[in-house]
Amino acid sequence: MSQHQLLDSLNHRDLRVRTDSATELGDAVMACLLMPVEFRQAQAHFPILFRRDQASGAFSAVALFGFDNGENLFLEDGHWDAGYKPLAQAVQPFLIGRSADGQAGGQVHVDMASPRILRGGEDGEALFDAAGKPSPYLDLIAQRLGDLDAAYRASADFFAALARHDLLEPFTIDVPLIDGSNNSLVGFHIVNEDRLQALDGDALADLHGAGHLMPLFMAVASVAQFSELVARKNRRIAHG
């Protein structure tokens, strides 16, 4: 169970954080949240898919890491085997909190129940120096949290544009593997390329002017990463 606390140098002076990647650290996830501003970096490594919240009907984007729940094919012997790690994954175990009085600006919170948390010792990254000042690592985390928060707020317009132009369609894929089994991926959406290509000049100008056209093209391009993801899965099977 999560245990979120507002980070401060008084209560968390000796806190250190493991930054390696491993199943026991919570990295065994088949997908994670992805912001449209990240699509350019992510498309070179992961398929970018969309999923709809059943309660609200709102869409979000994810980077796909595997085909089964709890499967992350980018975990390799304690390291992240890709040239990019999505912000939502990179900031763990930290998150943005808001003050109780509703003042503007985010706060850095930490999940004290995370297996990444260490108390004292020399392992992991320190959050504060001996004087209680934020470490370079904590400064980096604060920057990433700010970037993630800003990207999340900006993403609403992107998903509204996708809905306005009806650019998403349900996506299902069956993946035959070298051991004779099949992985079926259901419940996701992708960009409908035919509808995207059929948009008229006004629609394209609208998307381009709002900065939405490039992320759309990046999402389309990312579908090519399915072949590499299948290859990673087959290598895992072959190596037992």
Side-chain angles (χ1 to χ4, degrees):
M1 184 177 293
S2 299
Q3 185 184 344
H4 298 168
Q5 295 181 6
L6 174 62
L7 189 69
D8 66 70
S9 60
L10 180 63
N11 295 307
H12 306 110
R13 177 76 63 90
D14 64 343
L15 216 63
R16 303 181 74 91
V17 175
R18 286 186 60 177
T19 58
D20 50 325
S21 299
T23 296
E24 63 269 20
L25 296 178
D27 290 317
V29 292
M30 70 175 288
C32 90
L33 192 67
L34 190 72
M35 299 298 121
V37 73
E38 300 179 87
F39 285 9
R40 181 189 288 271
Q41 298 104 312
Q43 62 84 27
H45 306 282
F46 322 109
I48 298 170
L49 302 179
F50 301 86
R51 59 186 175 194
R52 174 185 281 152
D53 181 83
Q54 295 302 314
S56 67
F59 278 101
S60 59
V62 298
L64 189 70
F65 304 147
F67 296 104
D68 299 308
N69 287 331
E71 177 181 70
N72 187 340
L73 297 170
F74 294 89
L75 283 182
E76 293 286 350
D77 300 323
H79 75 277
W80 184 260
D81 189 35
Y84 183 72
K85 181 181 283 191
L87 284 171
Q89 197 76 12
V91 298
Q92 295 180 14
F94 302 94
L95 61 156
I96 294 174
R98 303 294 174 187
S99 62
D101 58 12
Q103 290 185 357
Q107 302 169 327
V108 178
H109 285 221
V110 60
D111 181 5
M112 294 300 294
S114 169
R116 293 186 176 278
I117 297 298
L118 303 171
R119 285 283 192 182
E122 298 297 326
D123 294 332
E125 295 283 348
L127 299 183
F128 299 96
D129 63 19
K133 294 183 178 180
S135 68
Y137 170 70
L138 182 53
D139 286 339
L140 175 62
I141 288 296
Q143 177 184 329
R144 286 175 173 170
L145 285 171
D147 290 345
L148 181 60
D149 186 47
Y152 176 78
R153 292 172 182 273
S155 68
D157 286 343
F158 175 76
F159 292 113
L162 295 189
R164 185 166 64 250
H165 296 289
D166 193 24
L167 288 175
L168 296 181
E169 64 177 345
F171 172 74
T172 301
I173 185 172
D174 289 316
V175 182
L177 301 171
I178 60 172
D179 63 355
S181 65
N182 278 276
N183 273 149
S184 294
L185 195 66
V186 298
F188 294 97
H189 288 66
I190 59 172
V191 175
N192 185 311
E193 293 186 47
D194 291 336
R195 291 178 198 155
L196 180 60
Q197 292 176 1
L199 291 176
D200 61 24
D202 289 341
L204 290 172
D206 171 56
L207 290 168
H208 176 67
H212 301 325
L213 204 53
M214 182 62 74
L216 274 168
F217 288 147
M218 294 298 102
V220 170
S222 77
V223 175
Q225 297 304 327
F226 267 109
S227 59
E228 173 57 24
L229 201 62
V230 172
R232 284 176 177 270
K233 177 79 171 182
N234 280 326
R235 288 197 293 270
R236 289 282 177 94
I237 293 172
H239 295 152

